[in-house]
Amino acid sequence: MTPASRRALTVSALGTAQTLSWASSYYLPAMLAAPIARDLGAPSFIVFAAFSLALVVSAALGPFAGKAIDRFGGRPVLMGSNLVFAAGLLALSQAASVPWLMAAWGLIGVAMGSGLYEAAFATVVRIHGADSRGAITGITLFAGFASTVGWPLTAFLEAHCGWRGACMAWAGLHLVLGLPLNAIVPRVREAAAQRLPEAGQAAAPAPGRARPRRTEILLAYVFAVGWFVSTAMAAHLPSLLHASGVSAMAAVSIAALVGPAQVAGRLLEFGFLRRAPALLSARIAALAHPLGVAALLMFGAPAAMVFAVLHGAGNGILTIAVGTLPLLLFGPQGYGGRQGLLMVPARLLQAGAPFLFGLLVQGWGERALWASAFLGLTAAGALMCISVPGAPRSDRR
């Protein structure tokens, strides 16, 4: 098998495994929160609180998982995450009380911290070094369909097998599909053979501790804003569109455009923006949500579709930036551990986003979008304060 074919196989396997992991964790509560709460005799917000706990656990574990990938490669970490996902979903299927529910989601959070995007990105960087931008984009193209696949499949399983059967089915998929897919990832020695020569890798950051630390803080802020806004919109977008004058039925249909728009944004990154500096792509993406908000709040319902498409496309490209910007700015050495640390604030804010933004929506209605637009502008401003170390002034775009 040629190196190009091997690379394509690895990206396809990781992308498909990521689709499974996202569909069976991040996108699970939207379909199962109501039946789980009804069965346990608890309010629905308890299920979302358990999901928030999983996000907090994943934030705490992320740096350790990244360091493990730096040391041992991604194959054992990702395969281990499939086993933990299966165990957590099986535990969830047997939940008979709220404490059991919390414990099961805590276990799923362990798997999320070692088996979602950050782990997959660190895995391809461990394999391909600085030449990983295309592979990162390819993985997100596959996993961009996680909600498109996950929501209907979960709804189908819940309708025919109940929510407990749905959880058991997802657990089984991790064992019969996810585990073999992640086993395709090359081992550390095989990965070293695929890596480009050191001369082809990105330049290391300039000496000195102050500047890299400042850049790390700015990047962490950008990622935190991106994850907060994305999760807030996922929880409240239909109601926000309805408040802006769109009918309830149309609001759901327009909100559903976010998923395809994310994939379209990633295709744009893979094609038109492929040769553009990754930093420039991220700056453009950070401005997409504020521009969409301005259109919606200025023109109302007629601009709802424009808002959904701009928000989705920008979010899709920013997801890629989570993988590519740390690689561009700091190089592949220690990538996994550094990226895990950079994502801790993002995961913590993501856990509280539905509740915190819900308070704004309750008080301000659709005008709460001005707050998310302001955050998007500050993220774009933070990206403008970052430049590529060692690059000529004309390339610091």
Side-chain angles (χ1 to χ4, degrees):
M1 184 179 292
T2 65
S5 299
R6 180 66 173 172
R7 179 173 182 143
L9 178 62
T10 301
V11 170
S12 300
L14 284 172
T16 305
Q18 283 294 297
T19 303
L20 169 61
S21 296
W22 281 94
S24 60
S25 59
Y26 187 83
Y27 293 109
L28 204 63
M31 296 292 105
L32 297 186
I36 291 174
R38 186 167 54 249
D39 196 18
L40 297 184
S44 293
F45 77 83
I46 290 295
V47 181
F48 288 102
F51 175 59
S52 294
L53 172 64
L55 292 173
V56 172
V57 171
S58 72
L61 186 67
F64 299 99
K67 290 178 181 178
I69 293 172
D70 287 337
R71 184 174 181 181
F72 304 110
R75 188 173 186 267
V77 175
L78 290 172
M79 292 177 68
S81 76
N82 291 124
L83 297 176
V84 181
F85 267 126
L89 288 162
L90 284 174
L92 180 60
S93 74
Q94 303 303 308
S97 63
V98 171
W100 192 326
L101 175 75
M102 293 289 181
W105 270 107
L107 188 56
I108 293 173
V110 172
M112 293 170 70
S114 57
L116 293 183
Y117 271 151
E118 291 78 33
F121 295 162
T123 296
V124 295
V125 170
R126 187 70 173 82
I127 298 170
H128 300 294
D131 187 34
S132 298
R133 182 175 177 181
I136 289 170
T137 304
I139 290 169
T140 63
L141 282 174
F142 278 90
F145 293 99
S147 61
T148 306
V149 173
W151 282 339
L153 182 54
T154 300
F156 174 84
L157 291 169
E158 194 277 328
H160 289 80
C161 312
W163 69 268
R164 296 181 188 275
C167 291
M168 287 189 281
W170 281 118
L173 285 172
H174 274 283
L175 298 177
V176 303
L177 181 61
L179 196 61
L181 284 171
N182 283 323
I184 293 175
V185 174
R187 292 181 173 86
V188 171
R189 289 183 180 179
E190 296 170 346
Q194 293 185 34
R195 188 172 303 171
L196 291 181
E198 293 296 319
Q201 294 186 355
R209 299 178 60 89
R211 188 181 181 284
R213 179 53 56 89
R214 171 180 174 272
T215 302
E216 286 176 344
I217 292 171
L218 290 171
L219 268 189
Y221 177 78
V222 171
F223 297 160
V225 167
W227 254 234
F228 178 87
V229 172
S230 173
T231 306
M233 292 303 103
H236 299 288
L237 184 54
S239 61
L240 287 167
L241 293 175
H242 183 50
S244 69
V246 180
S247 69
M249 184 74 69
V252 174
S253 299
I254 293 172
L257 292 174
V258 170
Q262 287 183 149
V263 176
R266 291 165 186 169
L267 286 171
L268 181 66
E269 162 71 16
F270 190 73
F272 181 72
L273 294 174
R274 189 172 190 173
R275 299 188 181 280
L279 198 52
L280 176 61
S281 297
R283 290 167 180 168
I284 294 172
L287 291 172
H289 176 81
L291 289 174
V293 169
L296 179 65
L297 295 183
M298 289 175 63
F299 300 106
M305 190 176 297
V306 173
F307 166 68
V309 170
L310 282 173
H311 167 72
N315 186 60
I317 297 174
L318 279 175
T319 302
I320 298 171
V322 167
T324 58
L325 288 185
L327 179 62
L328 172 72
L329 296 169
F330 303 107
Q333 188 68 32
Y335 173 92
R338 178 180 288 109
Q339 195 201 35
L341 287 171
L342 290 174
M343 289 301 296
V344 168
R347 292 297 185 193
L348 292 175
L349 273 181
Q350 185 183 38
F355 173 73
L356 294 174
F357 199 77
L359 293 178
L360 293 178
V361 173
Q362 184 177 353
W364 297 352
E366 73 275 19
R367 289 176 299 169
L369 285 168
W370 285 123
S372 63
F374 173 76
L375 287 174
L377 289 174
T378 63
L383 287 168
M384 293 300 296
C385 295
I386 297 173
S387 60
V388 180
R393 183 175 297 274
S394 59
D395 292 337
R396 298 185 179 187
R397 297 177 290 170

